Amino acid sequence: MNILVTGGAGFIGSHTLIELYKAGHIAVVIDNLSNSHPEALNRVAEIVGSRQQAVSIPFYKVDIRDRDALEKVFSKHHFDACIHFAGLKAVGESVEKPWEYYENNIGGTLTLVDVMRRHGCKNVIFSSSATVYGDPVEIPITENCPKGQCTNPYGWTKSMLEQILMDMQKADSEWTVVLLRYFNPVGAHPSGRIGENPNGIPNNLMPYITQVAVGKRKELGVFGNDYPTPDGTGVRDYIHVCDLANAHVAALQCFSQDFKHSDNRTFIYNVGTGNGYSVLDMVNAFVRVNGVDIPYSIKPRRAGDIATCYCNPSKAKSELGWQAKYGIDDMVRDSWNWQRQNPEGY
Ligand code: NAD
Ligand code: WQD
């Protein structure tokens, strides 16, 4: 398939490009590089190319809010589908700058899907998040679990965009909408050439751990050890980014007319492993597998955090034939392999 990948220079987008090329698809990337580096795309090309055949990935530095620029890209290329990663994703920043998050994520997506439909491209895979479940009413979380109250504007953009895309599909049966609700992506491509490259102080656990390991931060703060979990620290469903990338390739089958005959062509999948690991499980696995010490101290709970969040991923397995292959040891090994080789990122 010919696929438009928005946000393709980012963490999950760059890993997905590799799996798309491996599966024989053609991808065109648009990204405004607000949270990424173009070097990621050079490295993707290096990984998917070979001595016999160099690969260059068509890239446009385009903002999804820029209708004219999008029009130009759609006039130049035919797309069968769009995998839509582009968006701002920092939870804390979204509390400080709600307008910027709504304008970028919702405004940008509205412009993108309008240009898509004008050009007859009505297949979209949207990067949603476990955050739409709020404080989930069931664990493990199935896709039938009701959506909840988000604790920040970032989460609301995901929840609202799900609703917007579902409504568009309901009104126009030519659309097929796939909502992938990611759990906690970590790890990196096993080559160590691409990985997560956060700006400034990392918000998320794994990049914080790797920056402590590489000596950029003194110690990890563990946000709370009094949760109702086995060791008192928060439990999450960490998923290797290469598994997550592959879930997008698997989800492309939703666009075949043979896939599940039904009028409702919105498909929702949890993308996680189904395993819950605590903060200390992750720290201990990192130390054991990589032989690097991670000093930490217990800090107060972080506002908005929940105790436990992991999914039941069986719907993706039964309908898409996708399941995670990498375990916790692979995740901590590959996260460290990337950070060790690229202490300053790209
Ligand atoms: P990322 O920041 O690495 O990638 C997002 C990319 O989108 C970046 O390259 C950024 O430059 C680009 N972008 C942002 N706004 C844009 C705009 N207006 N126009 C064009 N490009 C724009 O983030 P990621 O971790 O790769 O996440 C990808 C998607 O998955 C995001 O939508 C994110 O919200 C979602 N998601 C991420 C996680 C996670 O923990 N990483 C979890 C659930 C969902
Ligand atoms: C994981 C655990 C923290 C950092 C966030 C978003 C969510 C999704 C994924 C996009 C928690 C603890 C963390 C640290 C810590 N993103 N922690 N010290 O909060 O589960 O999910 O990213 O959609 O929307 O909310 O991920 O990696 O921040 O935290 O103790 O320095 O690690 O308290 O228990 P989270 P995280």
Side-chain angles (χ1 to χ4, degrees), residues 89 91 128-131 152 154 158 182-185 202-208 220-224 227 233-236 238 279 302 305-307:
K89 65 159 184 179
V91 169
S128 190
S129 168
T131 198
N152 56 78
Y154 164 74
K158 293 295 175 194
Y182 312 158
F183 281 66
N184 289 58
N203 302 301
N204 295 113
L205 178 65
M206 186 52 82
Y208 207 104
L220 171 74
V222 173
F223 299 144
Y227 285 105
T233 66
V235 167
R236 296 292 183 272
Y238 296 95
V279 176
R302 183 172 66 178
D305 274 357
I306 55 176

Side-chain angles (χ1 to χ4, degrees), residues 155-311:
W156 282 119
T157 68
K158 293 295 175 194
S159 192
M160 291 176 188
L161 282 167
E162 283 199 351
Q163 189 63 45
I164 290 168
L165 294 172
M166 283 194 284
D167 288 344
M168 287 182 60
Q169 197 289 320
K170 231 185 260 170
D172 177 356
S173 60
E174 288 180 2
W175 278 98
T176 298
V177 168
V178 184
L179 307 176
L180 297 184
R181 294 176 175 161
Y182 312 158
F183 281 66
N184 289 58
V186 296
H189 189 265
S191 64
R193 297 292 289 154
I194 61 169
E196 192 168 7
N197 189 32
N199 280 330
I201 302 172
N203 302 301
N204 295 113
L205 178 65
M206 186 52 82
Y208 207 104
I209 291 178
T210 60
Q211 291 199 5
V212 171
V214 85
K216 280 178 89 169
R217 317 254 160 227
K218 218 168 88 252
E219 62 165 21
L220 171 74
V222 173
F223 299 144
N225 67 347
D226 56 354
Y227 285 105
T229 60
D231 65 19
T233 66
V235 167
R236 296 292 183 272
D237 189 333
Y238 296 95
I239 175 167
H240 195 292
V241 64
C242 294
D243 276 331
L244 175 55
N246 260 314
H248 295 78
V249 179
L252 291 173
Q253 63 193 287
C254 298
F255 301 136
S256 146
Q257 285 307 317
D258 302 337
F259 184 78
K260 283 189 54 151
H261 293 279
S262 106
D263 289 343
N264 178 1
R265 297 192 62 75
T266 295
F267 302 106
I268 304 181
Y269 298 101
N270 286 336
V271 189
T273 65
N275 300 315
Y277 290 112
S278 74
V279 176
L280 295 182
D281 288 337
M282 296 306 280
V283 171
N284 293 335
F286 193 96
V287 171
R288 173 175 52 76
V289 170
N290 297 320
V292 187
D293 194 26
I294 303 294
Y296 66 84
S297 65
I298 306 297
K299 299 274 190 252
R301 290 181 180 196
R302 183 172 66 178
D305 274 357
I306 55 176
T308 303
C309 179
Y310 59 91
C311 75

Side-chain angles (χ1 to χ4, degrees), residues 14-281:
S14 56
H15 287 82
T16 303
L17 289 174
I18 293 173
E19 303 307 324
L20 287 171
Y21 273 89
K22 271 169 48 187
H25 300 289
I26 309 277
V28 170
V29 174
I30 62 176
D31 197 303
N32 68 358
L33 302 179
S34 59
N35 196 39
S36 50
H37 198 288
E39 175 62 11
L41 297 174
N42 297 335
R43 297 197 184 177
V44 169
E46 164 198 303
I47 292 166
V48 295
S50 63
R51 223 175 261 180
Q52 287 75 29
Q53 200 182 5
V55 168
S56 89
I57 295 162
F59 168 63
Y60 297 90
K61 184 168 184 280
V62 160
D63 192 299
I64 55 167
R65 293 165 295 178
D66 184 343
R67 180 180 291 273
D68 293 344
L70 284 180
E71 282 287 348
K72 281 192 191 134
V73 176
F74 275 81
S75 306
K76 208 162 161 203
H77 299 270
H78 162 80
F79 297 118
D80 301 303
C82 170
I83 306 183
H84 177 32
F85 295 107
L88 300 175
K89 65 159 184 179
V91 169
E93 184 184 64
S94 80
V95 177
E96 309 294 320
K97 298 180 177 173
W99 187 87
E100 282 74 5
Y101 271 67
Y102 288 116
E103 198 260 342
N104 190 80
N105 293 5
I106 296 187
T109 302
L110 288 175
T111 303
L112 173 72
V113 293
D114 190 31
V115 175
M116 284 175 68
R117 66 181 178 174
R118 282 170 39 76
H119 289 265
C121 174
K122 296 185 179 179
N123 291 325
V124 65
I125 297 177
F126 174 63
S127 299
S128 190
S129 168
T131 198
V132 301
Y133 294 113
D135 197 350
V137 300
E138 61 172 16
I139 294 282
I141 304 170
T142 68
E143 291 80 356
N144 294 327
C145 177
K147 284 164 72 173
Q149 293 294 314
C150 299
T151 52
N152 56 78
Y154 164 74
W156 282 119
T157 68
K158 293 295 175 194
S159 192
M160 291 176 188
L161 282 167
E162 283 199 351
Q163 189 63 45
I164 290 168
L165 294 172
M166 283 194 284
D167 288 344
M168 287 182 60
Q169 197 289 320
K170 231 185 260 170
D172 177 356
S173 60
E174 288 180 2
W175 278 98
T176 298
V177 168
V178 184
L179 307 176
L180 297 184
R181 294 176 175 161
Y182 312 158
F183 281 66
N184 289 58
V186 296
H189 189 265
S191 64
R193 297 292 289 154
I194 61 169
E196 192 168 7
N197 189 32
N199 280 330
I201 302 172
N203 302 301
N204 295 113
L205 178 65
M206 186 52 82
Y208 207 104
I209 291 178
T210 60
Q211 291 199 5
V212 171
V214 85
K216 280 178 89 169
R217 317 254 160 227
K218 218 168 88 252
E219 62 165 21
L220 171 74
V222 173
F223 299 144
N225 67 347
D226 56 354
Y227 285 105
T229 60
D231 65 19
T233 66
V235 167
R236 296 292 183 272
D237 189 333
Y238 296 95
I239 175 167
H240 195 292
V241 64
C242 294
D243 276 331
L244 175 55
N246 260 314
H248 295 78
V249 179
L252 291 173
Q253 63 193 287
C254 298
F255 301 136
S256 146
Q257 285 307 317
D258 302 337
F259 184 78
K260 283 189 54 151
H261 293 279
S262 106
D263 289 343
N264 178 1
R265 297 192 62 75
T266 295
F267 302 106
I268 304 181
Y269 298 101
N270 286 336
V271 189
T273 65
N275 300 315
Y277 290 112
S278 74
V279 176
L280 295 182
D281 288 337

